[in-house]
Amino acid sequence: MNKFMKVAIEEAYEGIKHGDGGPFGAVIVKNGEIIGKGHNCVVKEKDPTCHGEMEAIHQACKTLNNFDLTGCDIYTTGQPCPMCLGALLWAHLDNIYFGCDYQDTNDIGFSDEQYNEKMSIEEQKKYLKQISHEECLKLYEDYKNIKNKTHY
């Protein structure tokens, strides 16, 4: 077994033991050292964004004092959901290694697969309502004109 995946599994068990959430643990590694780890804390925090990968990202960013995790890899017990995958991509991790896939996750009662299907534009309209477009464009324009900003 991969030594970093072993730590991710141990992290998941820690969360289960404390009733924090599902069996999802993750570790982020840079240059062979663990710089962040986390487990699912959705139940504990009463927050649907507290997935293991998100917790590991938070800790790794604090460790590096940077939002850019280029040069890092993540090991996670479950295939990242769309939210976590988006966050991992925004963080610029080099590699994403996972243990169980979406079907495995569905088989134990989690509904990740439903969020992985592409929504048509018509389906998106049920949830997305564009308002105040001009005001937001002004905000974006003001931001665009700021010199010496750091962003992704």
Side-chain angles (χ1 to χ4, degrees):
M1 172 188 300
N2 177 282
K3 69 180 182 178
F4 298 120
M5 185 61 80
K6 184 175 188 287
V7 176
I9 292 168
E10 290 167 357
E11 184 70 19
Y13 275 117
E14 193 65 23
I16 293 168
K17 181 174 115 182
H18 290 98
D20 293 344
F24 307 108
V27 297
I28 295 179
V29 176
K30 184 167 186 159
N31 299 324
E33 298 291 325
I34 294 174
I35 61 164
K37 62 182 180 176
H39 60 265
N40 185 292
C41 290
V42 168
V43 174
K44 175 185 173 190
E45 298 297 331
K46 297 170 184 55
D47 180 343
T49 67
C50 292
H51 290 193
E53 296 93 337
M54 302 297 275
E55 300 295 306
I57 289 170
H58 293 172
Q59 193 176 92
C61 288
K62 285 181 183 176
T63 299
L64 295 180
N65 195 32
N66 196 337
F67 58 84
D68 185 349
L69 299 179
T70 299
C72 299
D73 298 326
I74 189 166
Y75 297 80
T76 181
T77 58
Q79 187 173 353
C81 72
M83 174 185 68
C84 292
L85 181 58
L88 294 167
L89 295 174
W90 273 106
H92 300 277
L93 280 97
D94 290 1
N95 295 291
I96 301 168
Y97 300 104
F98 67 92
C100 292
D101 63 18
Y102 294 135
Q103 184 60 55
D104 299 322
T105 303
N106 286 341
D107 289 349
I108 62 167
F110 289 85
S111 57
D112 289 21
E113 193 169 283
Q114 70 178 323
Y115 303 114
N116 293 313
E117 297 175 12
K118 292 181 181 174
M119 277 191 189
S120 70
I121 297 298
E122 289 306 309
E123 289 173 310
Q124 289 180 29
K125 287 180 181 177
K126 290 186 223 174
Y127 302 99
L128 302 173
K129 312 288 186 223
Q130 187 174 26
I131 63 170
S132 305
H133 183 234
E134 291 301 316
E135 294 86 343
C136 291
L137 277 176
K138 168 82 169 75
L139 166 69
Y140 279 26
E141 188 65 29
D142 290 345
Y143 181 79
K144 186 172 109 179
N145 293 324
I146 296 171
K147 295 189 186 322
N148 301 322
K149 61 184 169 283
T150 303
H151 63 80
Y152 271 68

